Each structure stands twice: as structure tokens, then as C-alpha cells.
Amino acid sequence: MIKISDLYYAYKVKNKHIEALKGIDLEIPKGEFVVFLGPNGSGKSTLVKHINGLLTPSAGEVVVDGINAKEDDSIWKIRQKVGMVFQNPDNQIVANVVENDIAFGPENLGLSSSEIKERVKKSLSLTKILEYSKYEPHLLSGGQKQLVAIAGALAMEPEYLILDEPTSMLDPLSRRKILKIIHDLNKNHKTTILLVTHFTDEAVNADRVYILDAGRIACYGEPRETLGNISLLSKFQIKPLAMTSLAASLVKSGIDISTSVLTVDEMVEELCLLN
Amino acid sequence: MLIELNNLGFTYMKGTPLARIALRNICLTVKEGEFVGIIGPTGSGKSTLAQLISGLLKATDGQILIDGNDIAGSGKNINGKKKIGMVFQFPEQQFFETTVFDDVAFGLRNMGCSEDRVASGVRKTLKIVGLDFELFKDRSPFFLSGGEMRKVAIACVLAMEPDILVLDEPTVGLDEVSKKAITDFLTFFHNQGKTTIICISHDIEEVSKVAERIVVLDKGELLFDDKPEKIFLETDKLLEIGLDIPDAFSLLIELNKKGFNLPTNVFRIDDVKDLLIEYFIKEQKARGYRD
Ligand SMILES: Nc1ncnc2c1ncn2[C@@H]1O[C@H](COP(=O)(O)OP(=O)(O)OP(=O)(O)O)[C@@H](O)[C@H]1O
Ligand SMILES: Nc1ncnc2c1ncn2[C@@H]1O[C@H](COP(=O)(O)OP(=O)(O)OP(=O)(O)O)[C@@H](O)[C@H]1O
Ligand SMILES: [Mg+2]
Ligand SMILES: [Mg+2]
């Protein structure tokens, strides 16, 4: 379980403090699939960086499975449990060859070389980048780099997987595939997933959605409660799903369907009932 | 400015064992003032094409003519005037100053603007991209949130008011309000003058709202070049190469599978809404008569 209490964080730049988190309380049970939404600069990346010890709280506590990230020697234990895909893949790439880059995490876990090989191969094929395994990561396209970054985190097989806008530069098909991979991990391996995204559709099948605003958790709930509530979303600059806004307009025009429709399939169902 | 690509090709590390063909035989003409969207799957050559048009890469095959002049290797300067601006896929690659102000001011100072003009230009441009001038002017562009960085990168290029504006996935990582502000501004900028805009995106719905034409790349080749509504007629091919069609359009297709008989020549959510309203209101009336 991840337990965050009264977390504050300020970046120190020059002689100024930029308060990025202003009192976050959060409990994420093991095995949950949670999504963080919220406007630019609301603190999403800052928050998740605390969970694997990349940032240390200015005040408050972050505890993962009873381990407090604040204590120096605990960082290592936490990093073994918590894997992370960075918002910018360039910040994550460490090696000159894709397969070595993906091996980096597992190597740090002290796994046997045969196990490392096995995991690298598995991650490469899962993310469909086997053909680039010998390439230099920084000579890949934007989306290809993002796939390398995802493969690297997957190879660590962490208990908690944080993904900070992992699919922002992927084509729609690759995006769907990555979503499927993390949902499968969540279902079959009980991996806890923390996904930060601006794509509202990526939150539809989550267990819980958190909306951040100005360094605080503005609200949270199940996808239908949050994503299905257009006025709530617009308050926090989040795009409602196409079908949800369509449902709202149809209802306004006197067509009697549910307003919390999220997907095309649900919309088809609703409209067929009318027909 | 007229852009002509004649059998344009690009191979990275050409002539070495590591050679990689990124683009092949691209023929494309973009007229002055046109707004062209470029879509295509991961690795299809979009960024390479953007860098070629911006003069950051030199064609290895074929040529690029801008107003009839071959720009090969000329960098960003054509006829001595700085006329092509490009927003990079990774904003950090664009920054080099220590403050947001200086980075956005760079283009203006280069154009010889007075410091007063520079200051008002920076203020205006930061406002367009939705960044508070006072809060951001002294910040380092390298120490911002992902979305804030992209907004600064866009501001740097917009401030120069280029004749040709090339944007490589400019709305990645932006929240909804910022996205809309930037696409609205692009439309305004485009309608206002002679600016030619070339915009790469994975969001086919978003580009089809603003672009007059859409070019689809696949594996380094030009697959389609047509009006948005024509591109959507190629649903099967788009899905096959890994692209998407807007949900509103999928909805029409799915409804027709269930026996609705709706036209499939619209794809914007508002048009689909009108279509459905008309359908159901008629339906209700028809039922009313029957009952
Ligand atoms: N390295 C940094 N140095 C100083 N300030 C920072 C740094 N990174 C982020 N900030 C500031 O902290 C606040 C929160 O930023 P954060 O990156 O957590 O936002 P975010 O919700 O992830 O936004 P985005 O959607 O744009 O990625 C913002 O005001 C931002 O300007
Ligand atoms: N600097 C480079 N050196 C060698 N090969 C490269 C380089 N940059 C890109 N490539 C390769 O060229 C091809 C086209 O890359 P490009 O970056 O143009 O794709 P893209 O369409 O922009 O993809 P994405 O949507 O992922 O950004 C890819 O296969 C990529 O691996
Ligand atoms: Mg972020
Ligand atoms: Mg690219």
C-alpha cells in the first residue's frame, strides 16, 4: 500500500520557492489501478516522483509498504518495488544500445544474467521494439524512445508501476497496446498501476481517478463518477470523452439517454434502446 | 511561400552500414497560406520531414524548393530572412537561454527589434500560450512542468512570426484548455495572414478541425494527401497502419451495423450530434403519426 500524508513540496529556484504540492493525503491499496488527471503544472509529476524517492518531501510522509522514503537507506528498497516511466523518455535513457538500456534496471536488481536476458527479450517483444534492440536509443523517433522507456520499466517487473504520460507521443494503436499491457499486468500480476495522463480515455477502466489542481487533490472517485461529470471535468481543464459530451448534447435536445455514457459501445447501446 | 518537395528522400547515416531510410520519394506541394496536417504511425518519418522542410536536415535524395529556391543546407535562412520557424517534438532541444524571457525574446532580438518591442512581444506571446508573464518570465525553461515547457517552446517560435510555421506534435502533454488556446490561435494566425502551417499530430480529430489538407505518412512513404473528410473514407487503411478515426465517426459506423441508416460523410462531433438529433426527432415524429 502507498500511504501519503500531508505532503508538501516546494522547488527551490534562485531565491524563490515554487510550491508544487500543498497538502496531499492519499492511500492507494495494493493492486489498484489509479489514474491522475489535472491541468499543466498541477503537480502530477511532482507527486509521483515522491513515490519512488526521486524527490524528498518538504513536509509530510510518503510510505510504501511500510517503508518511509525519507530514510536514506530505504530509497534502495523502495526503488526495487516501484518502477517508473518518466514523462520525458530522454531523461530515462542511460545506455547506448536499446537492449542494454532495458537491461539496466534488472541488472541493478542483482538478477542472474540469464534472467536479465529473458526479461529484456520479453519486454522488447511485448512493446514491439525487438527490431530496434541493437539501435542507439537517442537515434530513435519520439514514439520509439517512449516505447524503450516503457520496456525498461516493464523489465524490472515492479510491484508498483508509475507511468507519467507514457503514451503521449505514440500512435493510437501503440497507445492501445500499452494500455492493454498495463491492464494485463494489473489483472494477472496484481501490479499496482499509477498512471498520469492527459488522455481521458485512458482512465475509463481504472479503479479510481484522482484529479489534481494547484498542488492539491481536488476530487477523486470511480471513472463513471468523475469522467461522467462534464461540469466537474471542465472545472479542471480536462477534456470530457467524446461520447460523454455527445450524450449531454443529445439529452439537452430532448433525446432520452443516460448522461454518463463513456464509450462508443455504451453510446451504441443507449441509442439502440431508443430505436 | 510555396513549398515543393520533389521525390524527396532521406537516409540517416547514408553510406554507412548503419544507414536507415526514413523517407522515400515524397512529392508534395504546399501553397502559400495553406494549413496542412501530417499524421502517421510511430517512426513513419514525420519528424524527419519537418526537419527537412525547416532546413535542419539536408535531403539525401530529391529536392525541396521554397519559392523556387533549393534550400538544401541553407539552415533556417532563406534569402537572408528568417522565415521558417519550427517547434521541436522535444521542447528541451530548443532551449538555450537561462530564462523564459530571454528564450522567447531571442527571435525578436535577432530580428532587430528594440527592447521595448521585445518586451511587449514576449508578453503578448506568453499570453497566447497561456503562461502568466510575471510568474514565468524569470524562470528557467529547463525547470518547468512538461506542459509548461512545451508552451514556452511554442511561444519561442510564434514570437518570430515566421512565414512558414512547422510544428512537431505541438499539443503533446497539454491540458484541454491550453490545447484549445493553441489550436485556436493557429487557426487565427492562419486566417489572418499568409502564414503556411505544417502541423504534425497523432490526434486526427484535432488536426482535421484546423487543417485544410491532411498528409498521411507510412513507413517513410506518402500514403494519402487529401481533405480531412476524404481521408476518413479510408477507415480500413488508417486502422491497418495504426491510426485512429474519431469516436464520432466510429459511432456512425457502429450504428449503421445495427441497422441505422446514417450518412458517413461527417466526422466532427457537432455534425454527428446534429445528424443524430435529426434522425431521432424524425423518428419520433414518424412514430407519432403511426400511433
Ligand atoms: N524542476 C523544477 N524546478 C522548478 N519548478 C518546477 C520543476 N518541475 C516542476 N516545477 C513546478 O512545479 C509545479 C508542478 O509541476 P509538475 O511537473 O508536477 O506538474 P504536472 O502536473 O506534472 O504538469 P504537466 O501536465 O505540465 O506535466 C509547476 O508549477 C512547475 O512550474
Ligand atoms: N537521428 C537519427 N538517426 C538514425 N535514425 C533515425 C534518427 N532519427 C530518426 N531515425 C529513424 O528514422 C525513422 C523515422 O523517424 P522520425 O523521427 O522521422 O519518425 P516520426 O514519424 O516522427 O515518429 P514519432 O511519431 O515516433 O515521433 C525511424 O525509424 C527512426 O528510428
Ligand atoms: Mg508532468
Ligand atoms: Mg516524431
Side-chain angles (χ1 to χ4, degrees):
Chain A
M1 178 163 91
I2 298 170
K3 198 167 180 323
I4 298 177
S5 32
D6 213 21
L7 171 65
Y8 284 77
Y9 187 78
Y11 290 96
K12 290 166 203 71
V13 283
K14 292 169 200 160
N15 41 20
K16 269 204 305 221
H17 283 239
I18 292 160
E19 288 181 36
L21 300 177
K22 302 171 192 166
I24 301 265
D25 288 293
L26 192 63
E27 251 178 49
I28 300 172
K30 215 162 176 185
E32 264 207 353
F33 192 122
V34 305
V35 169
F36 295 95
L37 301 173
N40 294 130
S42 57
K44 305 180 294 297
S45 298
T46 307
L47 172 61
V48 296
K49 280 180 187 164
H50 277 84
I51 299 170
N52 78 338
L54 275 173
L55 293 175
T56 311
S58 302
E61 309 288 334
V62 177
V63 180
V64 181
D65 289 347
I67 311 167
N68 191 326
K70 236 185 221 168
E71 292 143 23
D72 276 348
D73 59 330
S74 64
I75 291 281
W76 165 237
K77 279 190 235 153
I78 286 185
R79 297 252 169 101
Q80 281 183 309
K81 282 181 174 291
V82 186
M84 172 137 168
V85 179
F86 287 56
Q87 183 163 4
N88 181 347
D90 279 340
N91 296 342
Q92 191 172 337
I93 290 166
V94 290
N96 290 331
V97 181
V98 167
E99 58 184 3
N100 296 349
D101 193 78
I102 293 166
F104 183 79
E107 276 164 8
N108 277 341
L109 294 176
L111 300 171
S112 72
S113 64
S114 63
E115 171 77 17
I116 293 172
K117 261 208 191 113
E118 194 58 36
R119 287 201 186 181
V120 170
K121 213 174 128 208
K122 205 165 121 195
S123 293
L124 285 168
S125 65
L126 209 55
T127 50
K128 307 270 187 291
I129 51 171
L130 260 174
E131 58 176 307
Y132 313 121
S133 60
K134 306 282 183 203
Y135 285 16
E136 280 189 51
H138 65 271
L139 299 183
L140 292 173
S141 80
Q144 290 164 346
K145 281 185 198 173
Q146 227 163 11
L147 291 171
V148 172
I150 295 168
L154 293 179
M156 297 188 64
E157 299 184 1
E159 289 170 60
Y160 296 87
L161 180 57
I162 300 172
L163 305 108
D164 194 352
E165 301 194 35
T167 65
S168 62
M169 287 182 282
L170 298 182
D171 64 47
L173 182 65
S174 314
R175 198 154 81 75
R176 269 200 296 275
K177 282 185 184 154
I178 296 302
L179 256 287
K180 179 163 183 339
I181 292 172
I182 58 179
H183 272 290
D184 286 350
L185 275 179
N186 177 250
K187 230 182 260 129
N188 305 331
H189 298 268
K190 307 273 173 283
T191 309
T192 309
I193 305 286
L194 287 79
L195 172 66
V196 176
T197 184
H198 287 290
F199 293 112
T200 319
D201 62 338
E202 295 186 348
V204 168
N205 295 314
D207 293 315
R208 204 176 292 271
V209 177
Y210 289 92
I211 297 178
L212 265 74
D213 186 46
R216 294 192 178 88
I217 291 172
C219 67
Y220 64 91
E222 286 176 16
R224 205 167 297 277
E225 298 172 86
T226 44
L227 308 182
N229 185 340
I230 290 190
S231 57
L232 178 84
L233 294 184
S234 73
K235 213 163 114 192
F236 301 111
Q237 315 181 8
I238 299 164
K239 185 181 186 175
L241 293 156
M243 291 304 118
T244 315
S245 44
L246 180 61
S249 329
L250 292 179
V251 168
K252 229 185 242 163
S253 305
I255 294 174
D256 184 24
I257 57 169
S258 155
T259 48
S260 65
V261 170
L262 301 180
T263 63
V264 171
D265 289 348
E266 290 174 11
M267 183 58 99
V268 170
E269 220 169 276
E270 289 280 328
L271 294 177
C272 283
L273 284 177
L274 285 183
N275 212 10
Chain B
M1 283 188 167
L2 175 73
I3 307 173
E4 291 166 280
L5 312 183
N6 297 326
N7 302 307
L8 179 69
F10 188 80
T11 305
Y12 285 99
M13 297 174 278
K14 193 174 180 172
T16 76
L18 297 171
R20 247 184 277 163
I21 302 176
L23 288 173
R24 244 183 275 237
N25 216 12
I26 306 286
C27 294
L28 180 71
T29 303
V30 182
K31 292 195 284 284
E32 177 162 300
E34 248 191 309
F35 194 143
V36 176
I38 298 183
I39 62 174
T42 301
S44 56
K46 303 179 297 297
S47 297
T48 307
L49 183 63
Q51 293 173 68
L52 284 163
I53 293 173
S54 309
L56 300 172
L57 289 175
K58 188 169 175 276
T60 52
D61 298 282
Q63 54 174 191
I64 303 180
L65 300 178
I66 294 194
D67 278 347
N69 300 314
D70 195 327
I71 63 155
S74 64
K76 287 186 184 173
N77 289 300
I78 302 162
N79 305 332
K81 282 180 286 175
K82 175 119 170 75
K83 285 304 169 199
I84 303 183
M86 167 156 159
V87 179
F88 288 52
Q89 184 166 13
F90 289 91
E92 289 95 324
Q93 296 175 356
Q94 225 173 296
F95 302 143
F96 50 91
E97 297 282 359
T98 52
T99 67
V100 168
F101 185 98
D102 285 342
D103 240 326
V104 179
F106 178 82
L108 295 165
R109 286 179 176 143
N110 240 14
M111 283 156 50
C113 295
S114 68
E115 275 306 301
D116 276 356
R117 279 275 327 269
V118 169
S120 66
V122 173
R123 197 179 274 275
K124 191 181 109 195
T125 320
L126 286 180
K127 189 166 178 192
I128 289 168
V129 298
L131 292 175
D132 185 293
F133 179 78
E134 293 303 330
L135 283 180
F136 284 93
K137 68 178 169 49
D138 299 323
R139 297 275 302 271
S140 160
F142 296 97
F143 298 101
L144 297 171
S145 86
E148 289 163 354
M149 270 186 207
R150 193 168 302 274
K151 291 176 200 176
V152 175
I154 294 171
C156 290
V157 176
L158 290 184
M160 304 186 310
E161 301 191 357
D163 292 334
I164 297 174
L165 179 57
V166 182
L167 305 116
D168 195 351
E169 304 197 31
T171 59
V172 162
L174 296 188
D175 62 45
E176 189 52 18
V177 171
S178 317
K179 233 184 225 178
K180 189 161 182 320
I182 283 163
T183 45
D184 284 354
F185 179 76
L186 289 179
T187 311
F188 163 79
F189 194 44
H190 168 66
N191 290 340
Q192 198 192 29
K194 297 187 200 156
T195 314
T196 306
I197 302 180
I198 296 176
C199 182
I200 297 173
S201 176
H202 280 302
D203 189 341
I204 191 168
E205 195 165 356
E206 179 188 279
V207 274
S208 60
K209 273 186 216 152
V210 289
E212 298 150 302
R213 238 167 94 200
I214 291 193
V215 170
V216 183
L217 293 183
D218 183 38
K219 300 196 180 74
E221 295 185 32
L222 193 150
L223 191 60
F224 300 118
D225 171 9
D226 217 328
K227 294 195 181 93
E229 54 270 34
K230 288 274 162 48
I231 298 286
F232 288 126
L233 296 177
E234 307 288 347
T235 315
D236 292 342
K237 188 70 193 172
L238 292 178
L239 293 174
E240 183 196 315
I241 65 170
L243 301 180
D244 232 345
I245 49 171
D247 276 356
F249 193 76
S250 325
L251 176 67
L252 295 178
I253 293 174
E254 291 305 315
L255 287 172
N256 284 346
K257 280 189 199 156
K258 301 270 180 188
F260 284 65
N261 194 6
L262 298 160
T264 51
N265 58 352
V266 297
F267 53 88
R268 292 185 180 88
I269 193 96
D270 286 338
D271 298 336
V272 171
K273 177 194 82 185
D274 293 342
L275 202 79
L276 289 171
I277 290 172
E278 196 191 330
Y279 179 91
F280 282 103
I281 302 296
K282 252 195 219 151
E283 183 88 350
Q284 276 167 4
K285 276 203 191 121
R287 253 185 234 159
Y289 290 133
R290 259 185 274 133
D291 291 347

